[in-house]
Amino acid sequence: MVNNLHKKYRPLFQIPENWIYFDGNSLGPLQKTIIKKVSNMISNEWGEQIIKGWNKSNWMTQPDNVGNLIAKLIGADKNSVTVGDTLAIKLFQAISGALQVSKKTGFVLSDESNFPSDLYIANSYLKEKNLSEVKLVNKTKIEDELQKGKVSILMLTQVDYRTGELYDLKKINNIAKKMGVITVWDFAHSIGALPLNVREDDVDFAVGCTYKYLCGGPGSPAFIYVSPKYIDKINPIIAGWLGHENPFNFDLNYKPARDIKRFRIGTPPVIQMSALEEALKIWDNVDINFIRKEAQLLTSLFIDKINDLKFDMKLISPRHSDQRGSQVAYVTKNAYEKMQALIDFGVIGDYREPNIMRFGFNPLYNSEEDIIKAVEILNKILKNNLWKNKKYSKRKLVT
Amino acid sequence: MVNNLHKKYRPLFQIPENWIYFDGNSLGPLQKTIIKKVSNMISNEWGEQIIKGWNKSNWMTQPDNVGNLIAKLIGADKNSVTVGDTLAIKLFQAISGALQVSKKTGFVLSDESNFPSDLYIANSYLKEKNLSEVKLVNKTKIEDELQKGKVSILMLTQVDYRTGELYDLKKINNIAKKMGVITVWDFAHSIGALPLNVREDDVDFAVGCTYKYLCGGPGSPAFIYVSPKYIDKINPIIAGWLGHENPFNFDLNYKPARDIKRFRIGTPPVIQMSALEEALKIWDNVDINFIRKEAQLLTSLFIDKINDLKFDMKLISPRHSDQRGSQVAYVTKNAYEKMQALIDFGVIGDYREPNIMRFGFNPLYNSEEDIIKAVEILNKILKNNLWKNKKYSKRKLVT
């Protein structure tokens, strides 16, 4: 039994009684101390300092300070990460930055299983620049495409949002660099789940969100990492005042900050920031390598247990735990209804189009016991066709 | 004595004891109920519903629902405003949208006193499109420039961030429309301070922030209004997934929502949204026309009282209250030091480069008594040269 983290850390989380929460890959649960932290920020900082909070409570420097906490989690240099906005905005900045520092003409390459929003964002930017759309290939063809020498920018999400399939970042990034390709990685499903080392792996840009495995809360701000060698070479595509070298000079002309601050845009969401800052405290003590190891154990156990049931559920996640992130997905008929039934019985996973049941695991609060119980519940639902109850077919706005 | 609103509403706000808060034009104070509202959102929504909160607590539709509350405050049709991101991002979207619907070639016109960030944003977009920079003229020349017929887009901030000078929106917008010019108004210092009517005045785009007179809290999200006649004609420049017609279909191709949702981008900052939503409740009862009337009274009283002191402070705000927003500014030597001393003595205004003391008034919590007291304190500071104390010359990050 190597599954130990949850014993220490699960009590820090507020998870509804009788829930088995396998959806932290979509939204991480609340750490109880955040309630007090945010309440304090509101009453004692906003309430008691009002405008003075910008200096006195360091609201203005917080995005960069929190950025440095994130930097540690991705193996980045200090002052090479800043936090704010949403993943969409941060990716928009990264793509623009990548195009600016690229020395090659060529296309932007991605895979056809990438998170659609990443493609929307990149394509909306490319369209604006009258450049051709992102070229999409199958994941297995990425290396070949890179070798052909016609790629200028590689934009990939490290962990597939549906299957959990994991790119060998070190290998792919290395090929890209050898071919003179600028790399942009989306760590949405990586950060807090996988050991990352952007410096060692020579990643050029990385972006990610903080509300999945980092448990920053709904709409917690995103982050952007820019390789220090490029930071001062990029003209920010969205030149907001807080990216200015000296915003409070109110110069008529934009002069970007010389450091990572140039990737800041507008006034930071201070209340969200304080929740995120508190959520990140857990990383003072937790070793990501243990998390990874235990997550591999949990996903493997889940796959084995589901296998034992011999139901008509096709695993679409890689069999080998080294090749997947912290989530497991199955294709099955009536996946939506089955997932709604599962949720109704307290096992919270989610559904993804067109027929996918998705389960995410976080060893900080999930245990082997959770898995055993969850699979028993699934067994009951499938065996007795409980999912056929009409109430489970009603589509919700957010799946 | 027509100054009555504060009697009813001031008790709703948490303002530190012995403070006279004249900086609500920078950051509005906390309404006490927000503490409980946000605490409840965190404990009972995020904590108890986790992922289910998106449907169950309407987190997903909240940006549009809050947008409709804002719509009422600017005289906009339902479903023509959405809330999210920062003012910088929303302006970026508006400028891009304005260029798309403009039927004229020509330049973007603004005034040289506009909030610099608005110019940075517009210029960063124009540069990206290889278009010429925003043309800046003196405020007094805007009408002439419009009449010359070479303007395609007019981008103005209704209330000057330094002087408080107010554009006659109805008149200027009318001239612009007659000349076929698309209008983009920044309501940062207008919303919650002035009666606004974008429909009646035929405004094309408007953006604004919600942390000044709307008291949404530090980093509260921004809003964008798009005239209903243009909404479905604009391709969102930043095509994030939540602007998609059906985000949870995860289509590979972006298809913008047919309504105002296409101006949404990424995952909304739900905690900030809940603070803002609570802050806006006050508008169920308050009539903006009363606010405006009382603010005019307050700013006039302040000007008169300062005048009486006969100090070397030059009013740079318009003399006539119809021509200014809810703020008053003075140019004076050592403005920074004088403002720091004032703040130290409990009168909270702010400093703007190069030599401006700025005071903002909100009749919801400011009274005539505040003004009389504040001016007495200023008198003491100036008469006795208290501002010459060295501690007042130390520059802070945020002024």
Side-chain angles (χ1 to χ4, degrees), chain A residues 14 16 19 21 23 26-30 34-35 38-39 41-43 46-52 54-55 59-61 86 88-89 92 112 115-117 119-121 124-125 127-129 161 211 215-219 235 237-241 244 248-254 265-272 275 343 348 352-353 396-399, chain B residues 14 16 19 21 23 26-30 34-35 38-39 41-43 46-52 54-55 59-61 86 88-89 92 112 115-117 119-121 124-125 127-129 161 211 215-219 235 237-241 244 248-254 265-272 275 343 348 352-353 396-399:
Chain A
Q14 180 178 333
W19 277 30
Y21 195 68
D23 209 8
S26 186
L27 179 65
L30 171 68
I34 291 176
I35 302 168
V38 171
S39 207
M41 182 267 138
I42 294 180
S43 311
W46 178 16
E48 287 301 308
Q49 302 168 353
I50 323 181
I51 191 69
K52 292 184 185 176
W54 288 108
N55 291 312
W59 296 345
M60 192 47 80
T61 50
T86 60
I89 306 282
F92 194 79
E112 60 201 11
F115 188 60
S117 186
L119 304 175
Y120 305 160
I121 287 291
S124 63
Y125 183 72
K127 197 174 164 189
E128 205 65 23
K129 299 289 281 181
Y161 80 105
Y211 48 74
C215 304
N235 273 311
I237 161 76
I238 308 174
W241 68 311
H244 193 281
F248 288 87
N249 276 1
F250 295 105
D251 300 329
L252 278 185
N253 294 311
Y254 181 73
I265 302 175
T267 306
V270 182
I271 307 178
Q272 298 278 163
I343 292 171
I348 319 297
R352 283 294 173 265
E353 291 287 344
K396 297 197 174 86
L397 181 62
V398 177
T399 61
Chain B
Q14 180 178 333
W19 277 30
Y21 195 68
D23 209 8
S26 185
L27 179 65
L30 170 68
I34 291 176
I35 303 167
V38 172
S39 207
M41 182 267 138
I42 294 180
S43 311
W46 178 16
E48 287 302 308
Q49 303 168 353
I50 323 181
I51 191 70
K52 292 184 185 176
W54 288 109
N55 291 312
W59 296 345
M60 192 47 81
T61 49
T86 60
I89 306 282
F92 194 79
E112 59 201 12
F115 188 60
S117 186
L119 304 175
Y120 305 160
I121 287 291
S124 63
Y125 183 72
K127 197 174 164 189
E128 205 65 23
K129 299 289 281 181
Y161 81 105
Y211 47 75
C215 304
N235 273 311
I237 161 76
I238 307 174
W241 68 312
H244 193 282
F248 288 87
N249 275 1
F250 296 105
D251 300 328
L252 278 185
N253 294 311
Y254 181 73
I265 302 175
T267 306
V270 182
I271 307 178
Q272 298 279 164
I343 292 171
I348 319 297
R352 283 295 173 264
E353 291 287 343
K396 297 196 174 85
L397 181 63
V398 177
T399 62

Side-chain angles (χ1 to χ4, degrees), chain A residues 202-270:
Chain A
D202 199 14
V203 166
D204 296 317
F205 296 84
V207 294
C209 63
T210 61
Y211 48 74
K212 297 178 187 288
Y213 296 100
L214 295 185
C215 304
S220 186
F223 67 86
I224 183 170
Y225 161 77
V226 182
S227 168
K229 64 179 174 283
Y230 294 133
I231 288 175
D232 67 357
K233 291 178 181 57
I234 296 166
N235 273 311
I237 161 76
I238 308 174
W241 68 311
L242 291 189
H244 193 281
E245 191 177 28
N246 198 335
F248 288 87
N249 276 1
F250 295 105
D251 300 329
L252 278 185
N253 294 311
Y254 181 73
K255 191 177 169 192
R258 270 168 287 191
D259 58 7
I260 190 69
K261 281 199 283 294
R262 71 171 60 190
F263 295 93
R264 288 176 61 170
I265 302 175
T267 306
V270 182

Side-chain angles (χ1 to χ4, degrees), chain A residues 3-21:
Chain A
N3 173 229
N4 278 318
L5 285 167
H6 72 99
K7 290 179 195 158
K8 185 168 176 194
Y9 295 106
R10 161 94 187 214
L12 306 185
F13 288 89
Q14 180 178 333
I15 296 175
E17 229 182 321
N18 300 322
W19 277 30
I20 297 173
Y21 195 68

Side-chain angles (χ1 to χ4, degrees), chain B residues 226-245:
Chain B
V226 182
S227 169
K229 64 179 174 284
Y230 294 133
I231 289 174
D232 67 357
K233 290 177 182 59
I234 296 166
N235 273 311
I237 161 76
I238 307 174
W241 68 312
L242 291 188
H244 193 282
E245 191 177 29

Side-chain angles (χ1 to χ4, degrees), chain B residues 333-390:
Chain B
K333 274 184 201 157
N334 299 104
Y336 185 83
E337 290 78 0
K338 288 170 185 169
M339 183 51 80
Q340 297 318 305
L342 252 184
I343 292 171
D344 198 29
F345 281 82
V347 180
I348 319 297
D350 61 21
Y351 166 81
R352 283 295 173 264
E353 291 287 343
N355 51 10
I356 295 169
M357 295 176 81
R358 195 174 70 151
F359 303 89
F361 302 87
N362 188 337
L364 290 173
Y365 51 81
N366 289 139
S367 65
E368 290 172 305
E369 211 189 343
D370 280 349
I371 287 173
I372 291 162
K373 266 198 225 165
V375 175
E376 276 169 12
I377 292 169
L378 180 63
N379 188 25
K380 189 173 76 178
I381 289 169
L382 297 184
K383 236 178 179 163
N384 303 311
N385 286 319
L386 300 180
W387 58 270
K388 290 191 176 170
N389 186 320
K390 268 189 187 158

